Amino acid sequence: MASRIRCNPQQQRRVLAVALAQPSTATPRASVIGFRGSCKTLPTTYSPVPHQLRLLSTSQSWRQIEPPQPQPIHPQPELAPQPKKRSRVWKIIGYGSLLLFGAVFGLGFRAIVSPPPPLVPGSELDLMETKIIHRQAENLKIVQELQADPAWESWDAYETLSPEHRAQHISAGAMAGSKGIGGYHRVFYNKDSGECVSVIFFGPATTGWPGVVHGGCLATLLDESCGRAAFKKWGGRSGLTANLKLNYVSTTNATKFYVIRVKPRSDDELPEKERGKSHYKIFLDASIHDAKTGKATVVAEALFVGGKGKSGKGGLTVSGLADQGENARF
């Protein structure tokens, strides 16, 4: 409880000045009673200067003086950065890019899953497409090397087949045209080694799964290529496929160039019991490679029988090819 002082106004001001001048010292707690201009102080106990000093006067009412209270400092809230407004031009560019990407992706996916119908073989558009494919083939390294080597002769596949035979031929007839295997199919033959190399372009109509050449198409061409090498080895006499073993190493993609290599085995590569029978029995190794990377996609082994027959006096002949002998080009 604050000390009560009863005195005249002059003494009251003096006491207040003394109390304010000594805020840190102990001030005697006393009751001062004034009598007609005099002031009498009653001794009391000491206590620290109170926070409040209540003054009692006969001429003035009670007043309460309080020290100023510190005002709390509230931190100003940080304003969130306002996002920059995107320019309308950039919005148009962004939406246009998304629209273009969707259109290109959609058309590309549709072309793979549901390609357009193939061109009619022999039509004007088909011939134009064939010329474009031929120009691309002339730039292949393997084609340039084989054409420059005099040990290799070359021709277009099936060029000596008669129109009647061509119409019945699965490769020269059903798979003809730029969308099949007729876009480019060049055969190179080495008479000394008996090796046969075919450079071929697989069109989009040769696929089974979208974009991948059908395994049956690959087997057909390997069978033909092995038969072509055996036919040339027998001097124009034909034969039959006795065995054909295929190993599909990786996918063969459409609309790309591939190389089919076929090489007859020599007697040194055959078992003892099979040697000396090449006049009617030929074992061959074949493979399909990417024309640019050289990666193998199919590996095969084949056995053809026929030729001059076991006795060396007979054998099979093919109508329209037997009279051509070694000059037959199919």
Side-chain angles (χ1 to χ4, degrees):
M1 183 175 180
S3 300
R4 293 184 177 180
I5 301 174
R6 182 172 296 176
C7 57
N8 57 29
Q10 184 178 1
Q11 292 177 339
Q12 180 179 343
R13 288 193 296 271
R14 185 178 302 171
V15 172
L16 177 61
V18 172
L20 295 177
Q22 299 178 357
S24 60
T25 58
T27 304
R29 187 175 183 183
S31 297
V32 182
I33 305 175
F35 298 93
R36 296 184 180 179
S38 63
C39 181
K40 183 178 180 181
T41 302
L42 300 179
T44 58
T45 59
Y46 286 87
S47 65
V49 177
H51 292 287
Q52 299 179 358
L53 182 62
R54 301 183 62 187
L55 303 178
L56 182 60
S57 174
T58 57
S59 61
Q60 296 182 7
S61 59
W62 291 95
R63 292 186 303 172
Q64 183 174 352
I65 302 175
E66 297 182 359
Q69 299 293 331
Q71 298 295 328
I73 300 176
H74 300 284
Q76 295 293 334
E78 296 183 0
L79 298 178
Q82 297 295 330
K84 296 182 179 180
K85 295 184 179 181
R86 299 181 63 181
S87 174
R88 181 177 299 180
V89 176
W90 287 109
K91 289 184 179 180
I92 296 175
I93 294 176
Y95 294 146
S97 301
L98 292 176
L99 180 62
L100 179 62
F101 175 78
V104 173
F105 179 80
L107 292 176
F109 183 77
R110 179 182 179 183
I112 295 175
V113 177
S114 180
L119 300 176
V120 178
S123 64
E124 183 178 356
L125 292 177
D126 180 70
L127 295 177
M128 292 176 60
E129 185 72 15
T130 301
K131 290 181 179 179
I132 295 175
I133 297 174
H134 271 256
R135 285 197 297 266
Q136 295 174 351
E138 296 297 328
N139 295 325
L140 294 176
K141 183 178 179 180
I142 186 171
V143 173
Q144 295 175 352
E145 292 178 350
L146 293 176
Q147 288 179 343
D149 192 343
W152 294 83
E153 60 175 311
S154 64
W155 64 88
D156 289 332
Y158 323 118
E159 69 176 21
T160 60
L161 293 182
S162 64
E164 294 78 11
H165 192 177
R166 186 184 294 269
Q168 303 174 37
H169 203 277
I170 183 173
S171 300
M175 291 193 293
S178 61
K179 299 302 181 182
I181 61 172
Y184 187 84
H185 192 173
R186 189 76 177 174
V187 179
F188 299 87
Y189 177 71
N190 190 319
K191 187 176 181 179
D192 297 334
S193 63
E195 186 177 1
C196 190
V197 176
S198 300
V199 181
I200 183 171
F201 178 84
F202 289 101
T206 61
T207 61
W209 188 259
V212 180
V213 180
H214 196 285
C217 177
L218 299 175
T220 300
L221 291 173
L222 281 169
D223 184 33
E224 282 187 1
S225 299
C226 291
R228 184 182 291 114
F231 185 97
K232 299 294 288 185
K233 192 72 174 178
W234 288 327
R237 290 186 176 272
S238 183
L240 299 174
T241 307
N243 186 18
L244 180 62
K245 180 180 179 181
L246 303 179
N247 183 17
Y248 294 94
V249 180
S250 62
T251 58
T252 303
N253 300 321
T255 66
K256 294 182 64 176
F257 289 94
Y258 286 86
V259 178
I260 301 178
R261 292 184 177 273
V262 180
K263 184 178 181 181
R265 295 179 185 176
S266 62
D267 284 347
D268 297 336
E269 299 174 300
L270 298 176
E272 184 68 27
K273 63 179 181 178
E274 298 294 344
R275 296 178 181 177
K277 302 179 181 179
S278 60
H279 58 283
Y280 75 97
K281 182 185 289 188
I282 295 182
F283 293 87
L284 307 107
D285 295 315
S287 60
I288 299 179
H289 299 262
D290 189 297
K292 293 184 178 180
T293 64
K295 179 182 178 181
T297 59
V298 186
V299 178
E301 298 178 359
L303 170 61
F304 273 72
V305 295
K308 298 179 181 180
K310 190 174 182 178
S311 63
K313 299 180 180 179
L316 299 175
T317 60
V318 178
S319 176
L321 294 178
D323 55 343
Q324 299 178 19
E326 295 183 357
N327 296 324
R329 296 183 172 184
F330 67 100

